[in-house]
Amino acid sequence: MFDLFFDKMYNEYVEKTRAQRLTPVELAFIGDAVHTLYVRECVTESTDSVVGTLHAASSRLVNAKCQAAVLDELVANGMLTDDEADVARRAKNAHLHSRAKAATPDDYHKATALEAVIGYVHVSGDTERERELLKQCVDIGLRVGAR
């Protein structure tokens, strides 16, 4: 029994340490994929199977403007842990080598910060927190995307 407890603690430590070693840009790269996949799974459960409809529905939630608004609400309502807020701050301030095509630079940096937080939680291995955060992102995105 102790061995299982120790193994679980050790694995959590290793995963969190790995997440802390990745740069904000690397975390955002992972978080973008995780967020997009989650949104696509949600969309396929709630709409018809026409590719154009699926793409349009997911694009409303996976874009810099919507993601920036989601991050603003998560921060304003204190929905991020201290570690997540730190990752968001570092990612928002990171020097990005790409530019936003259809968003303001501020929205682009906030979207990158949100993706980095999602990547951090994913790499940390906290699947319960990951599901909770992704659900919050979709719920907030659906609300703010309607504005």
Side-chain angles (χ1 to χ4, degrees), residues 9-140:
M9 282 182 40
Y10 177 76
N11 288 338
E12 288 173 359
Y13 170 77
V14 168
E15 289 168 345
K16 188 168 185 174
T17 302
R18 177 176 172 245
Q20 291 170 339
R21 286 187 195 156
L22 293 173
T23 68
V25 174
E26 291 169 328
L27 291 171
F29 181 73
I30 293 168
D32 176 50
V34 171
H35 183 245
T36 300
L37 178 61
Y38 183 82
V39 167
R40 287 180 176 203
E41 288 174 344
C42 290
V43 166
T44 57
E45 291 174 6
S46 62
T47 60
D48 62 31
S49 298
V50 178
V51 174
T53 304
L54 294 172
H55 178 72
S58 64
S59 293
R60 282 193 290 277
L61 296 172
V62 183
N63 67 71
K65 186 174 182 175
C66 182
Q67 289 174 322
V70 168
L71 179 71
D72 285 341
E73 188 160 326
L74 289 172
V75 170
N77 293 324
M79 300 167 94
L80 298 179
T81 67
D82 290 343
D83 287 343
E84 293 165 0
D86 184 56
V87 167
R89 181 191 52 76
R90 289 188 299 120
K92 187 177 172 194
N93 295 327
H95 178 69
L96 304 174
H97 296 286
S98 57
R99 291 210 165 116
K101 293 178 213 140
T104 66
D106 187 51
D107 282 350
Y108 189 68
H109 283 270
K110 288 178 182 178
T112 300
L114 177 67
E115 291 168 347
V117 169
I118 293 168
Y120 173 79
V121 172
H122 177 77
V123 174
S124 294
D126 188 348
T127 55
E128 185 177 321
R129 176 61 179 151
E130 181 180 348
R131 279 191 302 272
E132 176 186 338
L133 182 62
L134 287 167
K135 184 178 181 329
Q136 289 172 341
C137 288
V138 169
D139 291 347
I140 294 167

